[in-house]
Amino acid sequence: MTPTTEPTRRVFLKSSAVAGGALLVPAALVPTALAGTAAAAAAPQFAHGVASGDPLPDGVLLWTRVTPTPESTPGSGAGPTVEVRWEVATDAGFTAVVSSGATTTGPDRDHTVKVAAAGLAPATAYYFRFTLDGVRSSTGRTRTAPATNADVSKLRLGLVSCSNWQAGYFAAYRHLAARTDLDGVLHVGDYLYEYQAGGYGARGVTIRPHVPANEMLTLSDYRRRHAQYKTDPDLQALHAAQPWFITWDDHEYANDTWSGGAENHQPGEGDWTARKAAAQQAYFEWMPVRQGAGGEIYRRFRWGRLAELSLLDLRSYRSKQTTPSAGDPGDPNRTITGDPQMAWLKSGLSGTDAKWKLVGNSVMITPISLGNVESRFLESLGSLLGLPIGSVAANADAWDGYTADRQELLGHLRDNRVKNTVFLTGDIHSSWGAEVPIDRSSYWYNGNSVATEFVTTSVTSDNIDDLLKVAPRTLSVAAESALHIGNLHVRYVELDSHGYSVVDVNPQRVQMDWYYLADRLSPTSTARHAKSLATADGTQKVKSVSGPVA
């Protein structure tokens, strides 16, 4: 999208009270680094906190960023090469250190540090920290995955997406950091946004401006923006409290990214290949994620015999999005995954013995029709969906714009009788729960579905009420009703609220709990439980649940 103060974006499309439950620590009591361990270090050497991610049964990735000298600011390319020590212990006091070492970092990697701590025990909680020139970082807490063939009774993840700095505060992260019952956090994309200061805020108003002030174009730009986001105290708290599973969507590059460009890569903004390389380099430097041997980010994690999580990359290999005048969404030559990733995904889903097949999916796979939605909503809904107005049957930036790939994947699930596939999705700044049919029209006749999908809303990015500039739960309610009428497989849709979700997996079912913020513009916003849905073992159906997991 062309940067403006009004979002004309692709996604579809507040509430109040305190997030309840005995497993929640009052948010006001959560330190800015890690509840129950050390408070955040005031030392400027570790101004961007600590993080962990990609847990395996015998190891986990540890991350920090150091500022050894005043000139070693993010994106500067300046400063010395230094040695950073790291420690992993079974206790917060580090009296039982089980792994330690040292690594070097410098301006060539923007003074970021990533360590693959190995030789750890499965299904175990650990504490970690870093030291530079005698100064210690804050303490992080992480955990390893269970052994590959372990019988596991539970997996519980926070699920988040679309965290736009300029549109508000990350109170959703604070509430998740306060929970003591999570095994990790799944972020399915739009961890940060590329727009210039004032380019994409809250209903056109910038709550806190981006740094750098220009749109991200160069390696230095992307590094500085990553650094800004990691100064947020709630983001630091959640990174320090839990290991993360992360994949990217488009704003980590530019709006509506595809393999050869992006809608928000304009003439005069340089070579797209160079911009893409810069975005990827900064991402792998600044995020606790592993990079494949070929540079790929799609990867898979196992949680004993209970679940396997496949994280997708739906930006690097996709064909350009269709428009009303160009491109057929059903063209078999068009792809959203690329052939190698599609083969990897299909073989993983049909080849695993894990009970639940979870898919970290950055854009919605459920087919959606807007045919019953009134015209006054179409432009806003279309901009959120990446939908070319005039072709209202396709969500062009999601799997609706790549129906041959969707048919191939869902047909594979049907033909191989793969049960218990659950897509965990973000991107569209709204909440959805759906049964995923091979195609929308067939569901009207037979009600058959081959998977389910749960979509979390945005942490801060504008929803439908924001685009329409109306009060929440007013005009959008009519659009939700129309969407239900035209899409019988959609069991829940809410277009207005911001917040986060919790996904709970056990052998009997997968449950999704939605929590909505009272006010994204308040750093101390409360949150309330809004909705719970579950899919039972072997059913590929979605049912309402009376309350959140305990």
Side-chain angles (χ1 to χ4, degrees), residues 174-200:
R174 176 170 51 86
H175 287 285
L176 283 172
R179 296 186 68 120
T180 61
D181 61 329
L182 299 180
D183 296 301
V185 172
L186 173 58
H187 198 301
V188 288
D190 294 343
Y191 177 96
L192 79 173
Y193 282 70
E194 83 275 18
Y195 299 112
Q196 80 277 18
Y200 185 21

Side-chain angles (χ1 to χ4, degrees), residues 476-526:
S476 56
V477 175
E480 293 163 8
S481 297
L483 287 166
H484 279 297
I485 293 170
N487 300 276
L488 297 182
H489 54 293
V490 172
R491 299 305 186 185
Y492 176 59
V493 56
E494 203 271 15
L495 299 174
D496 285 344
S497 299
H498 306 277
Y500 62 95
S501 300
V502 173
V503 180
D504 185 78
V505 185
N506 67 31
Q508 290 75 44
R509 57 95 184 102
V510 173
Q511 179 169 326
M512 175 95 140
D513 300 331
W514 282 264
Y515 290 85
Y516 295 151
L517 297 175
D519 183 5
R520 63 171 164 162
L521 307 186
S522 169
T524 60
S525 175
T526 57

Side-chain angles (χ1 to χ4, degrees), residues 146-187:
T148 300
N149 293 316
D151 289 324
V152 179
S153 61
K154 178 188 77 72
L155 168 64
R156 191 170 292 174
L157 299 172
L159 177 62
V160 284
S161 176
C162 303
S163 39
N164 177 15
W165 176 280
Q166 297 196 137
Y169 293 92
F170 296 159
Y173 292 157
R174 176 170 51 86
H175 287 285
L176 283 172
R179 296 186 68 120
T180 61
D181 61 329
L182 299 180
D183 296 301
V185 172
L186 173 58
H187 198 301

